[in-house]
Amino acid sequence: MSNTSQSLASTRINALLDENSFVEIGGYVTARSTDFNMHEKETPGDGVVTGYGVIDGNLVYVYCQDAAVLGGTIGEMHAKKITALYDMAMKMGAPVIGLIDCAGIRLQEATDALNAFGEIYLKQTLASGVIPQITAVFGTCGGGLALVPALTDFTFMESEKAKLFVNSPNALEGNHESKCDTASAKFQSEDAGLVDFTGSEDEIYAGIRELISMIPSNNEDDMSYEECTDDLNRASEALENAVGDPAVICSEIGDDHVFVETKAAYAKEMVTGFVRLNGMTVGVVGNRTERYDEDGNVAEKYADVLTARGARKAAKFVKFCDAFEIPVLTLTNLTGFKADTHSERCIAAAAAELTYAFADATVAKVNVITGKAFGSVYTIMNSKALGADMTYAWENAEIGMMDAKSAAKIMYDGEDAAVINEKAAEYAALQSSALSAAKRGYVDTIIDAKDTRKYLIGAFEMLFTKREDRPGKKHGTV
């Protein structure tokens, strides 16, 4: 790295990448503007360090803003270095990782700086779905710069000092930072849902490295597999007891018990993340009704319903998986839509997004019904009707229009309890059991919960060469 760029930025890059692997590009670039005595200021690297290196042997391109140079503000040459890095990454088919610490737009460059923002947005848009994009926010990321992490696939945020906002908390009518810090990692991860992972700087470096090891380098990469040393037929005797928490199920069935959860703090009733099955990365979407603590006790409970936030979280994740040829597994356990006034404003549109994402995805899709699958939400959650290639159901799963007793009460309104109970049992056997769904072809195989890993590995291996033609079109509109 050139002497012009020795800074906290270089320290951060070296902490992220494999030792001594970083090669800087454009280290001698400086600002071109001379307005407002800019020519009198030292601008090494124009406030951003750019280059390439490796993470566990995987090529990555990295830029890191240098807050010591003009506050790391974005100007003409600053943006040109980032866009040039994107051009190189697109040619080589490798991820781009942006480390953000920036005071915002460079006021001394005015329209040049505004154009610079637009050039970065354009490159991000062109790269979307071609190469993975990851952003980590370590300092300030405000105003127009907040769109940069929003245009990437995954966002990390330092939990104590980082700030991410379009409008600062104090600029919001009726609000103040002390009342609600809308720029904090907590707000952006739990309420806004923009941030996937939060933690210390060291935790963020470790998280990015783990994520890079799980996802492909580009949308045509078929080499993102690891040799599996775990038992392919490993049974998990207690798996059925974890039906309420897909994160626990994934940790049990994944190679070496590894599960990387995304957006874990947002819409906790919907779990998204990555596991490896026989060395193959698989994206998981699952319905959560319980979350367990480190001691295995129930820490939180959630209704078994589809929420607008959960649907949008899952839809974005499925779209990422489909773009990068990552197979999708769903763990279905829900009975309906969230029902309240606020939800009614947006649930139909959000559910449509999820429906579209599953139906539009052409990657291998496998569904495991672990608990209840009732009504329209069952159809939405990667059902056969939407194109699931294989559907499994645990032995005690319930699949149908609604709970059997509720259905009996409606169909036999006015009858006594004995008749209701009799008809409920009859309805359960004929219309809402895993067996009844299997007889109609909506479930391929009823499996013992403990054997889930074995069946999933077999299914995804069988589906490895899947090809599916779709109607020719520019793009959908949902």
Side-chain angles (χ1 to χ4, degrees), residues 159-175:
S159 56
E160 299 298 328
K161 299 176 183 178
K163 299 292 182 183
L164 175 57
F165 58 90
V166 174
N167 297 291
S168 68
N170 296 344
L172 302 176
E173 185 177 354
N175 190 56

Side-chain angles (χ1 to χ4, degrees), residues 214 225-234 249-260 274-282 453 457:
M214 294 289 285
Y225 306 98
E226 287 187 353
E227 182 179 355
C228 176
T229 57
D230 198 353
D231 182 1
L232 304 187
N233 296 312
R234 173 169 53 79
I249 295 175
C250 291
S251 296
E252 282 294 313
I253 65 175
D255 294 352
D256 302 315
H257 301 280
V258 174
F259 175 56
V260 178
F274 300 104
V275 295
R276 284 192 185 276
L277 293 170
N278 192 18
M280 178 192 300
T281 295
V282 174
R453 171 176 165 82
I457 288 174

Side-chain angles (χ1 to χ4, degrees), residues 180-248:
C180 179
D181 187 359
T182 53
S184 68
K186 178 178 173 64
F187 181 88
Q188 290 296 330
S189 60
E190 295 179 7
D191 291 273
L194 177 57
V195 172
D196 292 271
F197 309 91
T198 63
S200 66
E201 286 207 20
D202 287 340
E203 289 171 336
I204 287 174
Y205 301 139
I208 294 176
R209 291 178 64 87
E210 183 176 45
L211 182 60
I212 287 291
S213 73
M214 294 289 285
I215 61 178
S217 294
N218 57 69
N219 64 337
E220 296 181 348
D221 179 16
D222 60 356
M223 300 299 291
S224 59
Y225 306 98
E226 287 187 353
E227 182 179 355
C228 176
T229 57
D230 198 353
D231 182 1
L232 304 187
N233 296 312
R234 173 169 53 79
S236 301
E237 296 293 341
L239 198 62
E240 195 167 11
N241 296 330
V243 63
D245 195 346
V248 175

Side-chain angles (χ1 to χ4, degrees), residues 61-108:
Y61 290 82
V62 184
Y63 68 88
C64 183
Q65 292 173 317
D66 185 357
V69 178
L70 298 177
T73 52
I74 294 181
E76 175 197 16
M77 299 307 292
H78 183 119
K80 285 188 181 301
K81 290 181 66 176
I82 294 175
T83 57
L85 192 76
Y86 264 92
D87 287 338
M88 183 67 74
M90 291 277 280
K91 290 177 185 177
M92 300 308 299
V96 172
I97 303 170
L99 309 181
I100 304 294
D101 188 357
C102 174
I105 195 167
R106 188 172 299 165
L107 298 179
Q108 297 95 325

Side-chain angles (χ1 to χ4, degrees), residues 77 80 107 130 134 146 188 247 260 265 298 338 365 367 375 381:
M77 299 307 292
K80 285 188 181 301
L107 298 179
V130 180
I134 298 171
Q188 290 296 330
V260 178
V298 176
K338 184 176 181 179
K365 295 179 287 189
N367 186 15
M381 278 294 293

Side-chain angles (χ1 to χ4, degrees), residues 2 6 48 95 122 224 264 267 311 332 387 447 461:
S2 68
Q6 295 294 340
V48 63
L122 176 61
S224 59
T332 301
I447 64 174
E461 285 188 351

Side-chain angles (χ1 to χ4, degrees), residues 387-464:
D389 300 295
M390 291 293 292
T391 298
Y392 298 105
W394 286 1
E395 291 177 337
N396 294 326
E398 300 176 59
I399 307 164
M401 191 63 202
M402 62 177 65
D403 173 74
K405 194 157 190 175
S406 298
K409 286 180 179 178
I410 295 172
M411 291 190 297
Y412 295 91
D413 185 32
E415 297 289 346
D416 60 28
V419 172
I420 296 296
N421 291 336
E422 177 189 348
K423 295 303 180 182
E426 186 179 345
Y427 188 91
L430 293 175
Q431 292 288 344
S432 63
S433 67
L435 181 59
S436 66
K439 287 180 177 179
R440 291 167 170 80
Y442 305 134
V443 169
D444 293 295
T445 308
I446 299 172
I447 64 174
D448 193 325
K450 71 176 188 293
D451 295 325
T452 302
R453 171 176 165 82
K454 174 179 70 176
Y455 278 97
L456 290 177
I457 288 174
F460 283 119
E461 285 188 351
M462 178 272 292
L463 293 166
F464 183 74

